Amino acid sequence: MLENADAVAQFAADFFVQQVNRKPNAVLGLATGSTPLGTYRKLIEAYQAGRVSFKSVTTFNLDEYFGLEPTHEQSYRRFMRESLFEHIDVDPKKTHVPLGSVQDVESETAAYEAAIEAAGGIDVQLLGIGTDGHIAFNEPGSSFASRTRLKTLTRRTRKDNARFFGSIDLVPKMALTMGIGTILEAKQLLLLACGEGKADAIARSVEGPVSAICPGSALQLHPRAIVVLDKGAAKGLAQLEYYADCEANLNEVAKV
């Protein structure tokens, strides 16, 4: 648990910088929405300061709204370009976002899976979490074995995202998304959450039963999943004191 959202963003950015400096051709899984914006701003700052280069990096985004052209003001391709890609030295040809305007969904999703495999798999996958526990656009009830596919969005998700569109009626009803099975194949997972509005979803994901009704609980099955929270998002955790002790002990071990 960290003090605030800025500290969460700094931790995540430092984590990615260390990964890329250790492996310049790293394959990074990226996310959209309000949560990772702070991380992207700090990655831009790190690049501008000469602390990291992304010129050999390959990226894969989690999802895209179905039916939106890449140039649409609310498309995730445009979000990533404006929030990160055009501000760093990443090769645009190595940045991948599902094509929401595609006609042949099965071919697009199969090609996306094949591209991830051809790149050697994702080294670090960045994740946010919805208030209902969804990760990417894997809504409650999603199979833990699911792959990249077309998924219907719940009304709750569409309501949560209506602030970006101005009205729930303008929010697409479906999206192309990596499946939970795809996400769990990443070598490392880094989930970020900030604010009390995410506290219930985090508590159910971290301490609740592993269940399809809370897709975030799938992270309990991953051997290298890191959950980075501010105080608000951590508020619902029953064993918060124990987690703090674990973190302190790991830091002490690292100094030896």
Side-chain angles (χ1 to χ4, degrees), residues 18-42:
Q18 291 169 11
Q19 173 68 35
V20 173
N21 285 337
R22 184 168 56 246
K23 183 181 179 182
N25 64 339
V27 180
L28 306 179
L30 302 178
T32 53
S34 56
T35 300
L37 275 175
T39 298
Y40 295 155
R41 285 193 289 267
K42 291 183 183 298

Side-chain angles (χ1 to χ4, degrees), residues 65-66 136-139 151-158 161 171-177:
Y65 287 112
F66 182 60
F137 274 133
N138 294 286
E139 301 285 25
K151 186 71 178 175
T152 295
L153 305 180
T154 65
R155 292 184 182 181
R156 182 172 180 178
T157 293
R158 294 177 64 232
N161 290 356
V171 181
K173 296 180 179 180
M174 305 182 80
L176 276 66
T177 183

Side-chain angles (χ1 to χ4, degrees), residues 156-221:
R156 182 172 180 178
T157 293
R158 294 177 64 232
K159 183 179 179 180
D160 286 348
N161 290 356
R163 66 189 188 276
F164 301 115
F165 289 82
S167 167
I168 189 173
D169 295 330
L170 299 177
V171 181
K173 296 180 179 180
M174 305 182 80
L176 276 66
T177 183
M178 282 190 202
I180 296 176
T182 309
I183 292 169
L184 290 178
E185 287 182 354
K187 298 177 182 69
Q188 296 184 89
L189 302 179
L190 189 65
L191 185 146
L192 313 181
C194 299
E196 291 186 19
K198 299 295 179 71
D200 179 66
I202 287 296
R204 291 189 294 118
S205 296
V206 174
E207 297 179 337
V210 176
S211 170
I213 202 64
C214 181
S217 68
L219 273 68
Q220 295 183 38
L221 304 175

Side-chain angles (χ1 to χ4, degrees), residues 90-141:
V90 67
D91 182 350
K93 294 179 181 179
K94 292 184 178 182
T95 64
H96 302 84
V97 181
L99 184 59
S101 58
V102 70
Q103 295 278 331
D104 188 342
V105 172
E106 289 191 9
S107 293
E108 170 66 14
T109 54
Y112 207 71
E113 288 280 335
I116 293 172
E117 183 177 359
I122 294 171
D123 292 304
V124 183
Q125 177 64 62
L126 184 66
L127 296 167
I129 191 166
T131 56
D132 60 359
H134 73 249
I135 51 175
F137 274 133
N138 294 286
E139 301 285 25

